Amino acid sequence: EVLAFDKRVLPADHPDIAQSMNNLAQTYGALGRHDEALKLQEEVLAFRRRVLPEEHPDIATSMNNLAVTYRDLGRRDEALKLEVEALAFRRRVLPEDHPDIALSMAELAVTYRDLGRHDEALKLDKEVPGGVEWRHDRVLPGRLLRLGVVVGHGRLRQAHLLQLPHPHPPPRGAKRCPP
């Protein structure tokens, strides 16, 4: 409804239309409707490239969101290509300590891990600041990402040493894994 309203009352090239499309695509993705999310994410990226200045950070956001959707659909090679491009874009247009750069690094590391490229994932993860905060339900804190990369790399002992607190208590009677 919001997207339909925006399209009805805003000029056809208004950036808020892209934001509404993006929000709907994110909702589709969260609901597991990845094909619908993909179609909208592709439209959002094309829209933003058409109406925003060439170096606008929202273009990289759309690239990153589309890459996540590719990954959700198992299209990891396409995700990788777009994540590399989004990271380079963000490094070019944002200050080096901007959290969106850490977001791109974290997403890229996840894709490397999913592709079995654990050494590259681990190397990139070491560069992701440990204090990354929540952003758009996507950023993984450095320690959590590191755990995923380390476990994926078969280094369970190192993963255990990270000792991440779990947000929910274990079920009654559950046994803890030994160190």
Coordinates of all heavy atoms in Angstrom, one line a residue, residues 26-101:
Q26 N 12.6 -6.2 1.1 CA 13.2 -6.7 2.3 C 12.1 -7.5 3.1 O 12.4 -8.6 3.6 CB 13.6 -5.6 3.3 CG 14.8 -4.8 2.7 CD 16.1 -5.6 2.7 OE1 16.2 -6.6 3.4 NE2 17.1 -5.1 2.0
T27 N 10.9 -7.1 3.0 CA 9.8 -7.8 3.7 C 9.6 -9.2 2.9 O 9.4 -10.2 3.6 CB 8.5 -7.0 3.7 OG1 8.7 -5.8 4.4 CG2 7.3 -7.8 4.3
Y28 N 9.6 -9.1 1.6 CA 9.4 -10.4 0.8 C 10.5 -11.3 1.2 O 10.3 -12.5 1.4 CB 9.5 -10.1 -0.7 CG 8.2 -9.5 -1.3 CD1 8.3 -8.7 -2.4 CD2 7.0 -9.8 -0.8 CE1 7.1 -8.2 -3.0 CE2 5.8 -9.3 -1.4 CZ 5.9 -8.5 -2.5 OH 4.8 -8.0 -3.1
G29 N 11.8 -10.8 1.3 CA 12.9 -11.7 1.7 C 12.7 -12.3 3.0 O 13.0 -13.5 3.2
A30 N 12.3 -11.5 4.0 CA 12.1 -12.0 5.4 C 11.0 -13.1 5.4 O 11.0 -13.9 6.3 CB 11.7 -10.8 6.3
L31 N 10.0 -13.0 4.5 CA 9.0 -14.0 4.4 C 9.3 -15.2 3.6 O 8.5 -16.1 3.4 CB 7.7 -13.3 3.8 CG 7.0 -12.2 4.7 CD1 5.9 -11.5 3.9 CD2 6.5 -12.9 6.0
G32 N 10.6 -15.2 3.1 CA 11.0 -16.3 2.2 C 10.5 -16.2 0.8 O 10.7 -17.2 0.0
R33 N 10.0 -15.1 0.4 CA 9.5 -14.9 -1.0 C 10.6 -14.3 -1.8 O 10.5 -13.2 -2.3 CB 8.2 -14.0 -0.9 CG 7.1 -14.7 -0.2 CD 5.9 -13.8 0.1 NE 5.3 -13.2 -1.0 CZ 4.3 -12.4 -0.9 NH1 3.7 -12.2 0.2 NH2 3.8 -11.8 -2.0
H34 N 11.7 -15.1 -2.0 CA 12.9 -14.5 -2.5 C 12.8 -14.2 -4.0 O 13.5 -13.3 -4.5 CB 14.1 -15.5 -2.3 CG 14.3 -15.8 -0.8 ND1 14.7 -14.8 0.0 CD2 14.1 -16.9 -0.1 CE1 14.8 -15.4 1.3 NE2 14.5 -16.6 1.2
D35 N 12.0 -14.9 -4.8 CA 11.8 -14.5 -6.2 C 11.2 -13.1 -6.3 O 11.6 -12.4 -7.2 CB 11.0 -15.6 -6.9 CG 11.8 -16.9 -7.1 OD1 13.0 -16.9 -7.2 OD2 11.1 -18.0 -7.1
E36 N 10.2 -12.9 -5.5 CA 9.6 -11.5 -5.5 C 10.6 -10.5 -5.0 O 10.6 -9.4 -5.6 CB 8.3 -11.5 -4.7 CG 7.2 -12.4 -5.3 CD 6.1 -12.6 -4.3 OE1 6.3 -13.5 -3.4 OE2 5.1 -12.0 -4.4
A37 N 11.3 -10.8 -4.0 CA 12.3 -9.9 -3.5 C 13.4 -9.6 -4.5 O 13.8 -8.4 -4.7 CB 13.0 -10.5 -2.2
L38 N 13.8 -10.6 -5.3 CA 14.8 -10.4 -6.3 C 14.3 -9.5 -7.4 O 15.0 -8.5 -7.8 CB 15.1 -11.8 -7.0 CG 16.1 -11.7 -8.2 CD1 17.4 -11.3 -7.8 CD2 16.1 -13.1 -8.8
K39 N 13.1 -9.7 -7.9 CA 12.6 -8.8 -8.9 C 12.6 -7.3 -8.4 O 13.0 -6.4 -9.1 CB 11.2 -9.2 -9.3 CG 10.5 -8.4 -10.4 CD 9.1 -8.9 -10.7 CE 8.5 -8.2 -11.9 NZ 8.3 -6.8 -11.7
L40 N 12.1 -7.1 -7.2 CA 12.1 -5.7 -6.7 C 13.5 -5.2 -6.4 O 13.8 -4.0 -6.7 CB 11.3 -5.7 -5.4 CG 9.8 -5.4 -5.5 CD1 9.1 -5.4 -4.2 CD2 9.6 -4.0 -6.2
Q41 N 14.4 -6.0 -5.9 CA 15.8 -5.5 -5.6 C 16.4 -5.1 -6.9 O 17.2 -4.1 -7.0 CB 16.6 -6.6 -4.9 CG 16.2 -6.8 -3.5 CD 16.4 -5.7 -2.5 OE1 16.7 -4.6 -2.9 NE2 16.1 -5.9 -1.3
E42 N 16.2 -5.9 -8.0 CA 16.8 -5.5 -9.3 C 16.2 -4.2 -9.8 O 16.9 -3.3 -10.3 CB 16.5 -6.6 -10.3 CG 17.3 -7.9 -10.0 CD 17.0 -9.0 -10.9 OE1 15.8 -9.1 -11.5 OE2 17.8 -9.9 -11.1
E43 N 14.9 -4.0 -9.6 CA 14.3 -2.7 -10.0 C 14.8 -1.6 -9.2 O 15.0 -0.5 -9.7 CB 12.7 -2.8 -9.8 CG 12.1 -3.7 -10.8 CD 10.6 -3.9 -10.6 OE1 10.0 -3.0 -10.0 OE2 10.0 -4.9 -11.0
V44 N 15.0 -1.8 -7.8 CA 15.5 -0.7 -7.0 C 16.9 -0.3 -7.4 O 17.1 0.9 -7.5 CB 15.5 -1.2 -5.5 CG1 16.2 -0.1 -4.6 CG2 14.1 -1.4 -5.0
L45 N 17.7 -1.2 -7.7 CA 19.1 -0.9 -8.1 C 19.1 -0.1 -9.4 O 19.7 0.9 -9.5 CB 20.0 -2.1 -8.2 CG 21.4 -1.9 -8.7 CD1 22.1 -0.9 -7.8 CD2 22.1 -3.2 -8.8
A46 N 18.3 -0.6 -10.4 CA 18.2 0.1 -11.7 C 17.6 1.5 -11.5 O 18.1 2.5 -12.0 CB 17.3 -0.7 -12.6
F47 N 16.6 1.6 -10.6 CA 15.9 2.9 -10.3 C 17.0 3.9 -9.7 O 17.1 5.0 -10.2 CB 14.8 2.7 -9.4 CG 13.9 3.9 -9.1 CD1 12.8 4.2 -9.8 CD2 14.3 4.8 -8.1 CE1 12.0 5.3 -9.5 CE2 13.6 5.9 -7.8 CZ 12.4 6.2 -8.5
R48 N 17.7 3.4 -8.7 CA 18.6 4.3 -8.0 C 19.8 4.7 -8.9 O 20.2 5.8 -8.9 CB 19.1 3.7 -6.7 CG 18.1 3.7 -5.6 CD 18.6 3.1 -4.3 NE 17.6 3.4 -3.3 CZ 17.6 2.8 -2.1 NH1 18.4 1.8 -1.9 NH2 16.7 3.1 -1.2
R49 N 20.2 3.8 -9.8 CA 21.3 4.2 -10.7 C 20.8 5.2 -11.7 O 21.6 6.0 -12.2 CB 21.8 2.9 -11.4 CG 22.7 2.1 -10.6 CD 23.3 0.9 -11.4 NE 24.4 0.3 -10.6 CZ 24.8 -1.0 -10.8 NH1 24.1 -1.8 -11.6 NH2 25.8 -1.4 -10.1
R50 N 19.5 5.2 -12.0 CA 19.0 6.1 -13.0 C 18.7 7.5 -12.4 O 19.0 8.5 -13.0 CB 17.7 5.5 -13.5 CG 17.1 6.3 -14.7 CD 15.8 5.7 -15.3 NE 14.7 5.8 -14.3 CZ 14.1 4.7 -13.7 NH1 14.6 3.5 -13.8 NH2 13.1 4.9 -12.8
V51 N 18.3 7.6 -11.1 CA 17.8 8.9 -10.6 C 18.8 9.5 -9.6 O 18.7 10.7 -9.3 CB 16.4 8.8 -9.9 CG1 15.4 8.2 -10.9 CG2 16.4 8.0 -8.7
L52 N 19.7 8.7 -9.0 CA 20.6 9.3 -8.0 C 21.9 9.7 -8.6 O 22.3 9.1 -9.7 CB 20.9 8.3 -6.9 CG 19.7 7.9 -6.0 CD1 20.0 6.8 -5.0 CD2 19.1 9.1 -5.3
P53 N 22.7 10.6 -8.0 CA 24.0 10.9 -8.5 C 24.9 9.6 -8.5 O 24.7 8.7 -7.7 CB 24.6 11.9 -7.4 CG 23.4 12.4 -6.8 CD 22.3 11.4 -6.8
E54 N 25.8 9.5 -9.4 CA 26.6 8.3 -9.7 C 27.3 7.8 -8.5 O 27.5 6.6 -8.3 CB 27.6 8.7 -10.8 CG 28.6 7.8 -11.1 CD 29.4 8.3 -12.3 OE1 28.9 8.7 -13.3 OE2 30.7 8.3 -12.2
E55 N 27.7 8.6 -7.5 CA 28.4 8.2 -6.3 C 27.6 8.1 -5.1 O 28.1 8.2 -4.0 CB 29.6 9.1 -6.1 CG 30.6 9.1 -7.3 CD 31.4 7.8 -7.3 OE1 32.1 7.5 -6.4 OE2 31.4 7.2 -8.4
H56 N 26.3 8.1 -5.2 CA 25.4 8.1 -4.0 C 25.4 6.8 -3.3 O 25.3 5.7 -3.9 CB 23.9 8.4 -4.5 CG 23.0 8.8 -3.4 ND1 22.6 7.9 -2.4 CD2 22.6 10.0 -3.0 CE1 21.8 8.6 -1.5 NE2 21.8 9.8 -1.9
P57 N 25.6 6.8 -2.0 CA 25.8 5.6 -1.2 C 24.6 4.6 -1.2 O 24.7 3.4 -1.0 CB 25.9 6.1 0.3 CG 26.4 7.5 0.1 CD 25.8 8.0 -1.1
D58 N 23.4 5.2 -1.5 CA 22.2 4.3 -1.6 C 22.3 3.3 -2.8 O 21.7 2.2 -2.8 CB 20.9 5.1 -1.8 CG 20.5 5.7 -0.5 OD1 21.1 5.5 0.6 OD2 19.5 6.5 -0.5
I59 N 23.1 3.6 -3.8 CA 23.4 2.7 -4.9 C 24.1 1.4 -4.3 O 23.7 0.3 -4.6 CB 24.1 3.3 -6.0 CG1 23.3 4.4 -6.7 CG2 24.6 2.3 -7.1 CD1 24.0 5.3 -7.7
A60 N 25.1 1.7 -3.5 CA 25.8 0.5 -2.9 C 24.9 -0.3 -1.9 O 25.0 -1.5 -1.9 CB 27.0 1.0 -2.1
T61 N 24.0 0.4 -1.3 CA 23.0 -0.3 -0.4 C 22.2 -1.2 -1.3 O 21.9 -2.4 -0.9 CB 22.2 0.7 0.4 OG1 23.0 1.5 1.2 CG2 21.1 0.0 1.2
S62 N 21.7 -0.7 -2.4 CA 20.9 -1.6 -3.3 C 21.7 -2.7 -3.8 O 21.2 -3.9 -4.0 CB 20.3 -0.7 -4.4 OG 19.4 0.2 -3.9
M63 N 23.0 -2.5 -4.1 CA 23.9 -3.6 -4.6 C 24.0 -4.6 -3.5 O 23.9 -5.8 -3.8 CB 25.2 -3.0 -5.0 CG 25.2 -2.1 -6.2 SD 26.7 -1.1 -6.4 CE 27.9 -2.3 -6.7
N64 N 24.2 -4.2 -2.3 CA 24.4 -5.1 -1.2 C 23.1 -5.9 -1.0 O 23.1 -7.1 -0.8 CB 24.8 -4.4 0.1 CG 25.3 -5.3 1.1 OD1 26.4 -5.8 1.1 ND2 24.4 -5.5 2.2
N65 N 21.9 -5.2 -1.0 CA 20.7 -5.9 -0.8 C 20.4 -7.0 -1.9 O 19.9 -8.1 -1.6 CB 19.5 -4.9 -0.7 CG 19.6 -4.1 0.6 OD1 20.3 -4.4 1.5 ND2 18.9 -3.0 0.6
L66 N 20.7 -6.6 -3.1 CA 20.5 -7.5 -4.2 C 21.4 -8.7 -4.0 O 21.0 -9.9 -4.3 CB 20.7 -6.8 -5.5 CG 20.6 -7.7 -6.8 CD1 19.2 -8.4 -6.9 CD2 20.8 -6.8 -8.0
A67 N 22.6 -8.5 -3.6 CA 23.6 -9.6 -3.4 C 23.1 -10.5 -2.4 O 23.2 -11.8 -2.5 CB 25.0 -9.0 -3.1
V68 N 22.5 -10.0 -1.3 CA 22.0 -10.9 -0.2 C 20.9 -11.7 -0.8 O 20.8 -12.9 -0.5 CB 21.5 -10.0 1.0 CG1 20.7 -10.9 2.0 CG2 22.8 -9.4 1.7
T69 N 20.0 -11.1 -1.6 CA 18.9 -11.9 -2.2 C 19.5 -13.0 -3.1 O 19.0 -14.1 -3.1 CB 18.0 -10.9 -3.0 OG1 17.5 -10.0 -2.0 CG2 16.8 -11.7 -3.6
Y70 N 20.5 -12.6 -3.9 CA 21.1 -13.7 -4.8 C 21.6 -14.8 -3.9 O 21.4 -16.0 -4.2 CB 22.3 -13.1 -5.5 CG 22.0 -12.3 -6.7 CD1 22.9 -11.3 -7.1 CD2 20.9 -12.6 -7.6 CE1 22.6 -10.5 -8.2 CE2 20.7 -11.8 -8.7 CZ 21.5 -10.8 -9.0 OH 21.3 -10.0 -10.1
R71 N 22.3 -14.5 -2.8 CA 22.8 -15.5 -1.9 C 21.6 -16.4 -1.3 O 21.7 -17.6 -1.2 CB 23.6 -14.9 -0.8 CG 24.5 -15.9 0.0 CD 25.4 -15.3 1.0 NE 24.7 -14.6 2.0 CZ 25.1 -13.4 2.5 NH1 26.1 -12.8 2.0 NH2 24.4 -12.8 3.4
D72 N 20.5 -15.7 -0.9 CA 19.4 -16.4 -0.4 C 18.8 -17.4 -1.4 O 18.3 -18.4 -1.0 CB 18.3 -15.4 0.0 CG 18.6 -14.6 1.3 OD1 19.6 -15.0 2.0 OD2 18.0 -13.6 1.5
L73 N 19.0 -17.1 -2.7 CA 18.5 -18.0 -3.7 C 19.5 -19.0 -4.2 O 19.3 -19.7 -5.1 CB 18.1 -17.1 -5.0 CG 16.8 -16.3 -4.8 CD1 16.6 -15.3 -5.9 CD2 15.6 -17.3 -4.8
G74 N 20.7 -19.0 -3.5 CA 21.7 -19.9 -3.9 C 22.6 -19.5 -5.0 O 23.4 -20.3 -5.5
R75 N 22.4 -18.3 -5.5 CA 23.2 -17.7 -6.6 C 24.4 -17.0 -6.1 O 24.6 -15.8 -6.2 CB 22.3 -16.8 -7.4 CG 21.1 -17.6 -8.1 CD 20.0 -16.7 -8.6 NE 20.5 -15.8 -9.6 CZ 19.6 -15.0 -10.3 NH1 18.3 -15.0 -10.1 NH2 20.1 -14.1 -11.2
R76 N 25.3 -17.8 -5.5 CA 26.4 -17.3 -4.7 C 27.5 -16.6 -5.6 O 28.1 -15.6 -5.2 CB 27.0 -18.4 -3.8 CG 26.1 -18.7 -2.7 CD 26.6 -19.9 -1.9 NE 25.7 -20.2 -0.8 CZ 24.6 -21.0 -1.0 NH1 24.4 -21.6 -2.2 NH2 23.8 -21.3 0.0
D77 N 27.7 -17.1 -6.8 CA 28.7 -16.4 -7.7 C 28.2 -15.0 -8.0 O 29.0 -14.1 -8.1 CB 28.9 -17.3 -8.9 CG 29.7 -18.5 -8.6 OD1 30.5 -18.5 -7.6 OD2 29.5 -19.5 -9.3
E78 N 26.9 -14.9 -8.3 CA 26.4 -13.5 -8.6 C 26.4 -12.6 -7.3 O 26.7 -11.4 -7.4 CB 24.9 -13.6 -9.1 CG 24.8 -14.3 -10.5 CD 23.4 -14.6 -10.8 OE1 23.0 -15.7 -10.3 OE2 22.8 -13.8 -11.5
A79 N 26.1 -13.2 -6.2 CA 26.2 -12.5 -4.9 C 27.7 -12.0 -4.7 O 27.9 -10.8 -4.4 CB 25.8 -13.3 -3.8
L80 N 28.6 -12.9 -4.9 CA 30.0 -12.5 -4.7 C 30.4 -11.3 -5.6 O 31.0 -10.4 -5.1 CB 30.9 -13.7 -5.0 CG 32.4 -13.5 -4.9 CD1 32.8 -13.2 -3.5 CD2 33.2 -14.7 -5.4
K81 N 30.1 -11.4 -6.9 CA 30.5 -10.4 -7.8 C 29.9 -9.0 -7.3 O 30.6 -8.0 -7.3 CB 30.0 -10.7 -9.2 CG 30.3 -9.7 -10.2 CD 29.8 -10.1 -11.6 CE 30.3 -9.0 -12.6 NZ 29.3 -8.8 -13.6
L82 N 28.6 -9.0 -7.0 CA 28.0 -7.8 -6.6 C 28.5 -7.3 -5.2 O 28.7 -6.1 -5.0 CB 26.5 -8.0 -6.5 CG 25.6 -6.8 -6.7 CD1 26.0 -5.9 -7.9 CD2 24.1 -7.2 -6.8
E83 N 28.8 -8.2 -4.3 CA 29.3 -7.8 -3.0 C 30.7 -7.2 -3.1 O 31.1 -6.2 -2.4 CB 29.4 -9.0 -2.0 CG 28.0 -9.3 -1.5 CD 27.9 -10.6 -0.8 OE1 28.8 -11.5 -0.9 OE2 26.9 -10.8 -0.1
V84 N 31.6 -7.7 -4.0 CA 32.9 -7.1 -4.2 C 32.7 -5.7 -4.8 O 33.4 -4.8 -4.4 CB 33.7 -8.1 -5.2 CG1 34.9 -7.3 -5.7 CG2 34.1 -9.4 -4.5
E85 N 31.8 -5.6 -5.7 CA 31.5 -4.3 -6.3 C 31.0 -3.3 -5.3 O 31.4 -2.1 -5.3 CB 30.5 -4.4 -7.5 CG 30.3 -3.2 -8.3 CD 29.3 -3.4 -9.5 OE1 29.0 -4.5 -9.8 OE2 28.9 -2.4 -10.0
A86 N 30.1 -3.7 -4.5 CA 29.5 -2.9 -3.4 C 30.6 -2.4 -2.4 O 30.6 -1.2 -2.0 CB 28.3 -3.6 -2.7
L87 N 31.4 -3.3 -2.0 CA 32.5 -3.0 -1.1 C 33.4 -1.9 -1.7 O 33.8 -0.9 -1.1 CB 33.3 -4.2 -0.6 CG 34.5 -4.0 0.3 CD1 34.0 -3.2 1.6 CD2 35.1 -5.3 0.6
A88 N 33.8 -2.2 -2.9 CA 34.7 -1.2 -3.6 C 34.0 0.2 -3.7 O 34.6 1.2 -3.5 CB 35.1 -1.7 -5.0
F89 N 32.8 0.1 -4.1 CA 32.0 1.4 -4.2 C 32.0 2.1 -2.9 O 32.2 3.3 -2.8 CB 30.5 1.0 -4.6 CG 29.7 2.2 -5.0 CD1 29.4 2.5 -6.3 CD2 29.1 2.9 -4.0 CE1 28.6 3.6 -6.6 CE2 28.2 4.0 -4.3 CZ 28.0 4.3 -5.6
R90 N 31.6 1.4 -1.8 CA 31.6 2.0 -0.5 C 32.9 2.6 0.0 O 33.0 3.6 0.6 CB 31.0 1.1 0.5 CG 29.5 0.9 0.4 CD 28.9 0.0 1.4 NE 27.4 0.2 1.4 CZ 26.6 -0.7 1.9 NH1 27.0 -1.9 2.4 NH2 25.3 -0.5 1.9
R91 N 34.0 1.8 -0.3 CA 35.3 2.3 0.1 C 35.7 3.6 -0.7 O 36.4 4.4 -0.2 CB 36.3 1.2 -0.1 CG 36.3 0.1 0.9 CD 37.4 -0.9 0.7 NE 37.6 -1.7 1.9 CZ 38.1 -2.9 1.9 NH1 38.5 -3.5 0.8 NH2 38.2 -3.6 3.1
R92 N 35.1 3.7 -1.9 CA 35.4 4.8 -2.7 C 34.6 6.1 -2.3 O 35.2 7.2 -2.3 CB 35.1 4.5 -4.2 CG 35.5 5.6 -5.2 CD 35.3 5.1 -6.6 NE 33.9 4.9 -7.0 CZ 33.3 3.7 -7.2 NH1 34.0 2.6 -7.2 NH2 32.0 3.6 -7.5
V93 N 33.4 5.9 -1.8 CA 32.5 7.1 -1.5 C 32.3 7.4 -0.1 O 31.8 8.5 0.2 CB 31.2 7.0 -2.3 CG1 31.4 6.8 -3.8 CG2 30.3 5.9 -1.7
L94 N 32.6 6.5 0.8 CA 32.4 6.7 2.2 C 33.7 6.8 3.0 O 34.7 6.3 2.6 CB 31.6 5.5 2.8 CG 30.2 5.3 2.2 CD1 29.6 3.9 2.7 CD2 29.3 6.4 2.5
P95 N 33.6 7.5 4.2 CA 34.8 7.5 5.1 C 35.2 6.1 5.5 O 34.3 5.2 5.6 CB 34.3 8.3 6.3 CG 33.0 8.9 5.9 CD 32.5 8.2 4.8
E96 N 36.5 5.9 5.7 CA 37.0 4.5 5.9 C 36.4 3.8 7.1 O 36.3 2.6 7.2 CB 38.5 4.5 6.0 CG 39.1 5.1 7.2 CD 40.6 5.1 7.2 OE1 41.2 5.4 6.1 OE2 41.2 4.7 8.2
D97 N 35.9 4.6 8.1 CA 35.3 4.0 9.3 C 33.8 3.9 9.3 O 33.2 3.7 10.3 CB 35.8 4.8 10.6 CG 35.4 6.2 10.6 OD1 34.9 6.7 9.5 OD2 35.4 6.9 11.6
H98 N 33.2 4.1 8.1 CA 31.7 4.1 8.0 C 31.2 2.7 8.3 O 31.8 1.7 7.7 CB 31.3 4.6 6.7 CG 29.9 5.0 6.6 ND1 28.9 4.0 6.5 CD2 29.3 6.2 6.6 CE1 27.7 4.6 6.5 NE2 27.9 5.9 6.5
P99 N 30.2 2.5 9.0 CA 29.7 1.2 9.3 C 29.2 0.4 8.1 O 29.2 -0.8 8.1 CB 28.5 1.4 10.3 CG 28.2 2.8 10.3 CD 29.4 3.6 9.8
D100 N 28.8 1.1 7.0 CA 28.4 0.4 5.8 C 29.5 -0.3 5.1 O 29.3 -1.3 4.4 CB 27.7 1.3 4.9 CG 26.2 1.7 5.3 OD1 25.7 1.1 6.3 OD2 25.6 2.5 4.6
I101 N 30.7 0.1 5.3 CA 31.9 -0.6 4.8 C 32.0 -1.9 5.6 O 32.2 -3.0 5.0 CB 33.2 0.3 4.9 CG1 33.0 1.5 3.9 CG2 34.4 -0.6 4.6 CD1 34.1 2.5 4.0

